[in-house]
Amino acid sequence: MGRKFWITVTAVGFGLSAATSALADEMDWGSYQVGEKRSGYTFAKPETRAIQDDEFENPAFLWVDYGEELWDTVDGTEGKACASCHESASQSMAAVGTSYPVFAPELGKPINVEQRINQCRTERMGAEPWKWESRELLAMTIYVKNQSQGEPVNVVLSDELMPFYEKGEEFYNQRRGQLDMACSNCHVDFAGGQLRANILTQGQPNGFPTYRLKWQKVGSLHRRFRGCNKQVRAKPYANGSDEYVNLELFLTHRANGLPVETPSVRN
Amino acid sequence: MTRKLITLMLAGVTSAGLMTACGSLDAADQSAPAETQTAEADMVVAYEVVDGAAIPQALTDQAGDPDNGRAVAIHRKKGNCLACHILPIPEQSFHGEIGPDLNGVASRYDAGELRLRLVDPKVLNADTIMPSYYRNDGYHRVLKDFQGKTLLSAQEVEDIIAYLQTLKEQ
């Protein structure tokens, strides 16, 4: 793998941006790169990647452990836990992290993992839905997606999903906010570029929920959307809004082939 | 003074230069919910884009102050130019490399050309990522605190231009 090579290169003292842009193309990123697609992992500092790679150092594994505990915890009026219906997550959840958002016929629209978890809680367990960004919902989402860790993202666009996908794509390319920028301005046009102290990545979703060093905790993809909206001084949408689920659908399909990294570590 | 002050409302008056710049953005904006305009929209000084290439006339009568311009260019909540450009400002670390290096920019452009590049660079390149620093309409879903406002005041634009004019090729 490219890791040892990278460390040698930076130690020799190349500027960070020069190293990423000039050498990244020649570097072997293994499964973290598929053609032109590159995970945020390939833009991260070696120290950050090392934290992600080490289960004992990666702070997000606290949430994996808590999710595992919740999986077996009975809650709600039906006296059920997740495990009552789904038994072992490593088997029953293996394909979830790679394929969501999926179309929910009963709602006539796509839903993501967080929403499926809460649907199970309210409709099958008779339990209260977990709040977005709560420790519980983050832990369960991370635990479920972690069952697909290393597997390639594979969102299949059915006819039913297409109109929602198209809305997500439109959102992605639409300029917004007082700074008048679209997601694509930063993450397509200038991916790999140096924006002040940040290296812009392709904004891939395959590591979410992610442990962000800046947040000092894990956060959902929709939290990231809100942050990226606000930094261009645009009104964000609500976590779990149709707009963000459509955007997640577009973005996750765009990541097809990259490995699920949940829980990743990012700057 | 010959220049008039006009208030640009979302559906209202707009100068020719602004029209051309906003056309393409509005077209992409059909799904936008109706924006409610805040009461205190900025007063925007009318200006003229000459030959689609420059705004020769200063926006204010007061000469630009290069020292303040430098400070505004650095300020993260104002110019934040260092997000995207390299400037001869060694005390600040991490200069962005999204746009061109601005060292020597005064040897490439005169004041009027620099003014257009700050006021509304989308007149020159509709696809540019660089924000329009002196435009307050034609945007989608602006956060409430910034609705109807320009990124910089007319005087701040003039100050930055005065600063950029000190950046001559060595």
Side-chain angles (χ1 to χ4, degrees):
Chain A
M1 259 285 288
R3 192 163 313 132
K4 280 211 194 73
F5 175 57
W6 172 278
I7 290 165
T8 330
V9 167
T10 35
V12 171
F14 276 81
L16 191 56
S17 65
T20 27
S21 47
L23 296 167
D25 303 336
E26 301 141 36
M27 222 174 288
D28 177 11
W29 287 110
S31 65
Y32 293 103
Q33 171 160 21
V34 178
E36 297 285 295
K37 279 182 215 180
R38 282 172 56 189
S39 162
Y41 183 91
T42 70
F43 297 89
K45 292 198 184 92
E47 309 87 86
T48 313
R49 282 184 271 126
I51 301 173
Q52 173 171 325
D53 293 341
D54 183 343
E55 272 199 29
F56 297 98
E57 251 199 87
N58 182 339
F61 274 87
L62 293 171
W63 280 263
V64 177
D65 293 345
Y66 185 45
E68 185 172 18
E69 191 185 315
L70 290 170
W71 183 261
D72 294 316
T73 307
V74 172
D75 196 4
T77 55
E78 303 298 309
K80 287 183 176 138
C82 310
S84 317
C85 294
H86 300 292
E87 295 173 26
S88 156
S90 64
Q91 309 229 317
S92 60
M93 297 293 126
V96 172
T98 59
S99 57
Y100 271 60
V102 295
F103 190 72
E106 68 285 5
L107 299 170
K109 62 182 187 182
I111 61 171
N112 68 5
V113 175
E114 284 91 337
Q115 290 168 321
R116 179 68 87 204
I117 291 168
N118 271 337
Q119 193 185 43
C120 282
R121 284 182 57 81
T122 54
E123 290 173 22
R124 304 219 169 88
M125 297 166 68
E128 287 293 312
W130 281 321
K131 284 214 182 69
W132 209 281
E133 297 308 298
S134 64
R135 189 169 163 244
E136 287 75 15
L137 189 55
L138 283 166
M140 187 57 75
T141 307
I142 289 174
Y143 178 65
V144 168
K145 285 199 173 179
N146 183 244
Q147 306 307 316
S148 313
Q149 200 185 41
E151 295 300 313
V153 175
N154 181 28
V155 171
V156 179
L157 288 180
S158 60
D159 290 349
E160 293 149 316
L161 282 174
M162 272 319 282
F164 300 96
Y165 170 87
E166 281 163 7
K167 279 185 200 158
E169 181 174 28
E170 200 182 311
F171 190 117
Y172 193 78
N173 293 312
Q174 178 166 24
R175 289 176 181 265
R176 62 191 66 241
Q178 194 193 27
L179 295 190
D180 202 28
M181 292 178 198
C183 312
S184 56
N185 283 136
C186 287
H187 293 296
V188 178
D189 302 347
F190 288 101
Q194 180 97 24
L195 184 80
R196 200 74 205 251
N198 290 293
I199 292 187
L200 283 167
T201 74
Q202 297 174 353
Q204 300 286 1
N206 55 312
F208 281 82
T210 187
Y211 186 91
R212 215 177 154 204
L213 300 169
K214 190 181 148 194
W215 294 334
Q216 291 284 300
K217 78 185 281 268
V218 292
S220 72
L221 183 60
H222 291 199
R223 177 171 179 190
R224 180 79 240 194
F225 291 166
R226 287 174 62 82
C228 280
N229 279 173
K230 284 189 274 189
Q231 78 184 347
V232 299
R233 299 183 176 176
K235 265 185 277 183
Y237 289 87
N239 288 324
S241 59
D242 291 347
E243 286 82 0
Y244 280 176
V245 175
N246 295 341
L247 182 60
E248 178 173 353
L249 174 64
F250 169 76
L251 212 63
T252 314
H253 176 266
R254 177 174 175 262
N256 273 359
L258 291 176
V260 174
E261 276 171 48
T262 312
S264 66
V265 177
R266 297 286 188 266
N267 204 19
Chain B
M1 201 171 96
T2 50
R3 254 168 286 125
K4 296 199 296 270
L5 289 177
I6 50 168
T7 307
L8 293 176
M9 302 303 252
L10 262 187
V13 219
T14 173
S15 73
L18 289 165
M19 276 290 231
T20 41
C22 303
S24 60
L25 297 170
D26 287 338
D29 204 17
Q30 260 126 29
S31 63
E35 299 271 345
T36 42
Q37 189 72 15
T38 46
E40 6 79 74
D42 275 358
M43 300 292 273
V44 172
V45 177
Y47 59 83
E48 196 190 346
V49 179
V50 174
D51 297 334
I55 303 173
Q57 262 233 42
L59 303 172
T60 63
D61 293 330
Q62 194 187 322
D65 168 359
D67 293 336
N68 191 51
R70 188 180 191 273
V72 174
I74 294 171
H75 199 295
R76 284 173 192 266
K77 298 214 152 95
K78 290 191 181 264
N80 198 20
C81 312
L82 294 173
C84 298
H85 292 286
I86 297 175
L87 282 159
I89 302 182
E91 75 275 19
Q92 292 281 326
S93 49
F94 295 116
H95 296 203
E97 293 171 20
I98 303 293
D101 185 337
L102 295 182
N103 279 289
V105 75
S107 305
R108 300 196 284 279
Y109 302 109
D110 66 21
E113 290 166 327
L114 289 172
R115 192 171 290 108
L116 178 58
R117 280 163 177 78
L118 261 148
V119 164
D120 197 359
K122 278 147 201 173
V123 171
L124 295 161
N125 173 9
D127 296 328
T128 188
I129 191 174
M130 179 160 156
S132 298
Y133 280 91
Y134 197 65
R135 203 184 88 199
N136 71 344
D137 74 345
Y139 297 132
H140 176 50
R141 282 183 75 84
V142 176
L143 272 174
K144 199 145 172 267
D145 286 356
F146 302 104
Q147 278 173 24
K149 310 228 188 241
T150 55
L151 277 162
L152 298 176
S153 71
Q155 193 58 50
E156 286 167 339
V157 170
E158 292 304 325
D159 291 352
I160 291 192
I161 291 163
Y163 166 63
L164 293 177
Q165 284 186 284
T166 68
L167 308 182
K168 292 261 170 28
E169 213 82 69
Q170 301 293 320

